[in-house]
Amino acid sequence: MSVIYLDNNATTKVDPAVVEVMMPFFTEQYGNPSSIHRFGGMVSRDVEKARASVAKLLNCKSSEIYFTGCGTESNNMALIGFADMRGRNVTKIVTTAVEHPAILETVAYLDKKGAHSTVIGVDGDGSIDVDKLVENVDANTIVSVMWANNETGVIFPIEEIAKKVKAKGGVMHTDAVQAAGKVVIDLQQVPVDMLSISGHKLHAPKGIGVLFVREGVKLEQFMHGGHQERNRRAGTENVPYIIGLGKACELAIDNLEHENKVLRAMRDRLQAGLLATCKGAVVNGGNELRLPNTLNISFEYIEGEAILLFLDESGIAASSGSACTTGSLEPSHVMRAMGLSYVLAHSSIRFSFSRFSSESEVDKVLEVLPAIIARLRKISPFVEGDD
Amino acid sequence: MIYLDNAATTPLEPAVLETFTKVYESFWANPHSLHKIGEKAEQLLEQARSQVTDLLGGSGYQAIFTSGATESNNLAIKGIAEIHKARGNHFITTNSEHPSVDQVLTYLESQGATVTRLPVGTDGTVTEEQVERALTEKTVLVSIMMVNNESGAINPIKEIAAMMKNHRALFHVDAVQGVGKIPFSLKESPVDLLSLSAHKFFGLKGSGVLILRERQRLAPQMIGGGQEFDLRSGTADVPRAASFAKALRLATENLPAKLAEVTRLNAILRESITTIDGVQINSPERGSPYILNCSVNGIRPETVLHGLVNEDIYISTVSACSSKKSELSPIILALTGNEERAKHSIRISLSHKTTELEIRRFLEIFRSTILTLR
């Protein structure tokens, strides 16, 4: 059965072009880039080319790109690395209530270890009060705000936030895992100090991430060992994955503008179709600037899990909440932070598109989902007066 | 090309690449997603996990997938240190560990820990008696490598594990150069934590495992979604996990026969190298046959290496993990006590795929290169 995969914010399929460029590095050019002989040296040049491609996607210097083991590691490295450099007891961290667990759990951990954290809430549309966010920022503060939310797709005003944080002498980190490859990121324009990306959200493999660290920003080493990544990240370079990520970034650079339009059109058609045909449908974050590929929608009085199950039976993979809160059936922390009632938060579904999505897949969802909703509303104990 | 730098990294086994591409083609979903394709990926992940512990002959153990042995070592040592801080802050290791153990302990020292670095003997190893004497009530972890990456010296892991059975301290082993090359079973050597790296036995780079006992508490070092039993957050890379299991299975298959062949090749190397003027073998007689370290008097190791590269032969000076840093190998210094030898050491590292023809050709060129350079 071919699956209609609309869960691309959870993970994406590796692009065949990415697989292709990785292949020679598994079996032929397999040298260790840290070896001093030519066989390692050749590989090391390819690693540097990939680094340049990542830098080009973000419009920064190659020397500001550090490869890590995943997006979670990048986020940990940024926050823990900063806290350990400044001293955990003097570190202040400001973040939002809708961050990914890789940020929220790390902030909670550092808080327990002596740092002082502030978590800022969001309004019903999922947006933040920037002035409140930067209110108490000082030179020992790191502010971490995601570029775009993984569940709603809501894009935060990172440029404005970063400028305000910098003006107060703070350090600014952004988790751009969901944004990279989907919207333009220009680090010459946006003065963040650190930025995290994850390969598998942009058609590169899982298990490869990047932390951008602006020149001059100091971090304590997070992973100790060899001298790799200019002493910032120990461990033998994962050459094939790095090469794959470089290619994925090139593809993103080439396709971003076009995909933006195509995916937005698909998403908007799905959204309009569902709002027109499903009772009690509410778009979450719909009034804000959003990632073009993401639709988060709640269906009043219906359990999101039940909808997903029926969609899954119809060969459609979507999600509720985020895959990263493993196996959890708790309503999404993002929806709760947006002030959705427990019932509405429990009923949210996320559709997320990629370059491999098609209009016929939207047709299929529009064909099956309204019937699923009508059926579930019939058996819902909360619905009154439906006929 | 004659590749004799297998201790630095190995090519991917074609059968492992096949597993990798197949899984990436069909089971690429996020294993933590609730839909069917996510569930299938999760099943595969769990299958790979139990296969790894089965292959190591351990019941009551679990495998955590990591981004490599450096992460495994960081997680094991920092994770145990953090959880046992109240009980003690003393660590025992050797003076010849890989940087991913040594640097972690140096970092812990900077945070107030006490570290005893046992000196290795003339055979490059420490003894269980040395470890026993160093153990105190405050010792929380002993971290000792199975096979030294530069000399090939094999530490008495089984004996140390047996001696430590009744001590509260845990025993961590960096088995990166051992497992997949020399026979090992958790049943015989019931260590508490074991770090592995796939790219040293024809698996993927960026692919590590930390083995630990079920229910062993450990403070996670990467925090987030709570994957890998809450011990290591980050989306699991299922193709990588499946490839790890496959690579380990292939590596451990017919291991005694492979080991015997490498031992035979190593003997040829040794015998011939001892007859070259001014070349001294640093590797202990009874070490791992996969690694032969020697010093070429009076010639810079880089010069020897480049002479060989011109003939398309690849060996290494000190380990790739420190090769850009220092002129002298601290490991060879600890082993030989001789600075000159430590400055002039080179490493020849074999695999079960190395052939006698390659060894003979290498010896011929090695000999003539040294003669020319002299």
Side-chain angles (χ1 to χ4, degrees):
Chain A
M1 182 182 70
S2 89
V3 172
I4 294 179
Y5 186 75
L6 297 177
D7 195 12
N8 288 284
N9 284 8
T11 194
T12 57
K13 187 172 168 64
V14 178
D15 196 295
V18 169
V19 178
E20 198 187 322
V21 298
M22 285 165 62
M23 282 304 150
F25 292 90
F26 286 122
T27 48
E28 293 153 33
Q29 290 159 262
Y30 56 84
N32 187 327
S34 296
S35 295
I36 63 168
H37 51 63
R38 196 163 62 196
F39 189 57
M42 284 182 322
V43 173
S44 157
R45 275 197 292 279
D46 291 302
V47 166
E48 292 318 306
K49 268 189 233 158
R51 199 186 303 279
S53 300
V54 179
K56 195 175 165 202
L57 178 70
L58 304 175
N59 196 19
C60 64
K61 292 181 196 163
S62 285
S63 57
E64 295 172 320
I65 297 296
Y66 297 90
F67 292 112
T68 68
C70 61
T72 293
E73 185 186 327
S74 301
N75 285 335
N76 273 253
M77 179 174 160
L79 296 183
I80 297 176
F82 175 85
D84 284 349
M85 178 55 74
R86 296 296 165 99
R88 290 183 178 184
N89 291 326
V90 300
T91 296
K92 286 162 60 176
I93 311 172
V94 180
T95 190
T96 81
V98 296
E99 299 296 312
H100 187 275
I103 293 292
L104 283 178
E105 295 296 327
T106 306
V107 170
Y109 166 83
L110 285 170
D111 197 78
K112 215 168 61 189
K113 300 280 176 186
H116 312 276
S117 71
T118 311
V119 180
I120 304 286
V122 296
D123 67 14
D125 288 322
S127 78
I128 35 176
D129 180 342
V130 175
D131 290 326
K132 198 173 150 201
L133 183 84
V134 301
E135 202 177 357
N136 295 313
V137 170
D138 62 21
N140 283 324
T141 307
I142 181 165
V143 177
S144 181
V145 178
M146 65 204 329
W147 196 292
N149 184 269
N150 50 317
E151 295 191 27
T152 58
V154 168
I155 295 172
F156 291 112
I158 298 300
E159 186 178 344
E160 181 196 348
I161 298 168
K163 282 179 176 157
K164 289 185 170 163
V165 169
K166 299 310 294 169
K168 293 188 140 194
V171 165
M172 173 79 193
H173 167 257
T174 182
D175 170 0
V177 162
Q178 291 296 341
K182 293 175 189 158
V183 292
V184 173
I185 293 177
D186 182 349
L187 290 172
Q188 296 310 309
Q189 178 86 23
V190 181
V192 297
D193 296 294
M194 291 186 272
L195 176 143
S196 307
I197 68 179
S198 164
H200 76 102
K201 310 285 188 186
L202 66 147
H203 304 289
K206 295 171 187 61
I208 182 78
V210 161
L211 183 65
F212 154 83
V213 183
R214 200 176 287 278
E215 215 168 74
V217 174
K218 289 200 176 78
L219 289 180
E220 174 65 50
Q221 205 173 356
F222 176 66
M223 196 98 79
H224 295 84
H227 55 81
Q228 292 91 346
E229 295 296 286
R230 287 149 287 144
N231 278 323
R232 274 226 159 118
R233 203 280 186 184
T236 298
E237 297 85 342
N238 188 351
V239 178
Y241 281 24
I242 289 172
I243 303 297
L245 179 58
K247 181 67 181 179
C249 288
E250 287 168 24
L251 293 173
I253 295 166
D254 293 345
N255 299 328
L256 198 136
E257 209 182 309
H258 170 72
E259 275 173 19
N260 234 315
K261 280 186 208 139
V262 174
L263 300 188
R264 186 184 303 277
M266 277 186 212
R267 191 270 313 271
D268 288 348
R269 190 161 76 85
L270 179 64
Q271 177 174 319
L274 292 178
L275 286 174
T277 54
C278 299
K279 272 201 180 155
V282 186
V283 174
N284 300 309
N287 296 325
E288 294 295 314
L289 193 61
R290 276 180 300 164
L291 292 174
N293 80 321
T294 308
L295 170 63
N296 192 302
I297 187 163
S298 288
F299 301 92
E300 248 182 332
Y301 306 128
I302 303 177
E303 290 249 353
E305 305 300 334
I307 304 173
L308 284 184
L309 203 69
F310 280 107
L311 283 175
D312 207 13
E313 289 301 319
S314 309
I316 299 164
S319 74
S320 68
S322 107
C324 301
T325 331
T326 44
S328 164
L329 293 179
E330 281 297 296
S332 133
H333 72 281
V334 176
M335 297 301 131
R336 296 293 283 161
M338 286 166 68
L340 268 70
S341 65
Y342 190 86
V343 173
L344 215 51
H346 236 313
S347 76
S348 75
I349 298 286
R350 177 186 71 187
F351 294 100
S352 44
F353 296 90
S354 82
R355 69 172 65 121
F356 300 119
S357 306
S358 66
E359 290 287 352
S360 66
E361 294 181 338
V362 175
D363 293 339
K364 176 80 176 173
V365 178
L366 286 172
E367 182 194 317
V368 303
L369 188 52
I372 293 171
I373 300 298
R375 189 164 152 203
L376 288 171
R377 279 180 74 90
K378 261 191 195 137
I379 57 169
S380 167
F382 304 107
V383 178
E384 284 171 27
D386 247 21
D387 37 279
Chain B
M1 176 175 80
I2 299 177
Y3 184 72
L4 296 173
D5 197 12
N6 290 283
T9 193
T10 56
L12 193 62
E13 181 71 46
V16 178
L17 181 58
E18 210 172 285
T19 299
F20 178 78
T21 47
K22 209 180 275 174
V23 178
Y24 248 116
E25 188 60 38
S26 314
F27 303 97
W28 50 271
N30 190 320
H32 321 300
S33 293
L34 296 170
H35 41 63
K36 270 185 216 142
I37 54 169
E39 268 170 39
K40 271 187 199 150
E42 195 197 7
Q43 279 166 14
L44 214 59
L45 176 67
E46 295 315 314
Q47 210 176 305
R49 198 189 302 285
S50 51
Q51 203 183 351
V52 169
T53 45
D54 287 352
L55 284 165
L56 295 169
S59 61
Y61 285 93
Q62 66 186 20
I64 303 295
F65 290 106
T66 68
S67 68
T70 291
E71 188 189 334
S72 300
N73 286 338
N74 272 260
L75 173 58
I77 300 171
K78 292 178 190 168
I80 292 297
E82 203 174 318
I83 219 129
H84 289 300
K85 217 168 191 170
R87 186 167 77 67
N89 216 356
H90 177 237
F91 298 81
I92 299 172
T93 188
T94 77
N95 63 356
S96 298
E97 297 297 311
H98 187 269
S100 59
V101 165
D102 191 59
Q103 290 298 310
V104 174
L105 289 166
T106 304
Y107 165 75
L108 291 180
E109 271 178 313
S110 77
Q111 306 293 307
T114 317
V115 178
T116 303
R117 288 180 171 80
L118 301 171
V120 297
T122 49
D123 66 347
T125 69
V126 292
T127 62
E128 62 269 35
E129 290 82 14
Q130 270 178 291
V131 179
E132 193 169 15
R133 280 196 299 273
L135 281 169
T136 73
E137 275 305 299
K138 296 272 179 207
T139 310
V140 291
L141 186 75
V142 174
S143 180
I144 293 176
M145 71 200 324
M146 188 179 291
V147 174
N148 187 276
N149 55 312
E150 289 190 35
S151 70
I154 304 175
N155 280 306
I157 300 304
K158 190 173 138 190
E159 289 74 11
I160 298 171
M163 179 276 293
M164 284 184 63
K165 208 174 159 192
N166 297 317
H167 197 279
R168 288 164 80 186
L170 297 170
F171 184 27
H172 167 246
V173 173
D174 170 358
V176 165
Q177 299 287 352
V179 166
K181 298 180 179 182
I182 57 172
F184 172 80
S185 108
L186 284 164
K187 206 170 167 186
E188 261 179 37
S189 306
V191 305
D192 298 297
L193 302 122
L194 188 80
S195 299
L196 307 174
S197 167
H199 79 101
K200 307 289 188 187
F201 50 83
F202 298 89
L204 293 165
K205 290 184 180 61
S207 174
V209 155
L210 179 65
I211 303 281
L212 68 168
R213 292 182 193 275
E214 281 168 10
R215 289 183 297 278
Q216 170 65 53
R217 290 195 315 132
L218 192 68
Q221 299 301 305
M222 215 129 85
I223 301 155
Q227 292 89 347
E228 301 287 311
F229 316 105
D230 236 344
L231 296 177
R232 197 274 186 185
S233 290
T235 299
D237 184 358
V238 180
R240 179 176 75 181
S243 303
F244 189 102
K246 179 77 173 260
L248 184 60
R249 184 170 72 70
L250 293 175
T252 48
E253 234 167 45
N254 298 322
L255 192 53
K258 291 177 194 163
L259 181 65
E261 176 60 8
V262 176
T263 305
R264 191 179 73 85
L265 297 180
N266 182 288
I268 297 174
L269 269 177
R270 261 183 187 273
E271 200 193 328
S272 175
I273 284 176
T274 24
T275 66
I276 306 175
D277 258 359
V279 181
Q280 287 164 295
I281 291 177
N282 299 320
S283 290
E285 285 274 0
R286 291 191 345 197
S288 160
Y290 294 81
I291 295 175
L292 189 70
N293 193 299
C294 55
S295 295
V296 183
N297 290 348
I299 307 177
R300 282 167 49 89
E302 294 77 25
T303 313
V304 178
L305 194 133
H306 287 132
L308 293 170
V309 164
N310 290 335
E311 301 288 335
D312 214 16
I313 295 175
Y314 299 90
I315 61 161
S316 70
T317 54
V318 291
S319 92
C321 292
S322 46
S323 59
K324 280 171 188 164
K325 213 167 50 187
S326 128
E327 306 246 301
L328 176 145
S329 160
I331 288 173
I332 302 305
L333 181 63
L335 174 68
T336 61
N338 183 322
E339 250 188 57
E340 279 308 302
R341 274 169 79 169
K343 270 186 197 161
H344 291 96
S345 75
I346 57 169
R347 179 184 68 184
I348 304 150
S349 51
L350 286 59
S351 85
H352 68 273
K353 298 192 179 197
T354 307
T355 63
E356 184 173 341
L357 207 66
E358 287 178 316
I359 292 298
R360 300 262 179 222
R361 168 97 182 127
F362 161 75
L363 284 167
E364 191 184 310
I365 309 250
F366 185 52
R367 194 181 289 269
S368 65
T369 302
I370 290 171
L371 271 177
T372 316
L373 290 171
R374 288 239 159 84

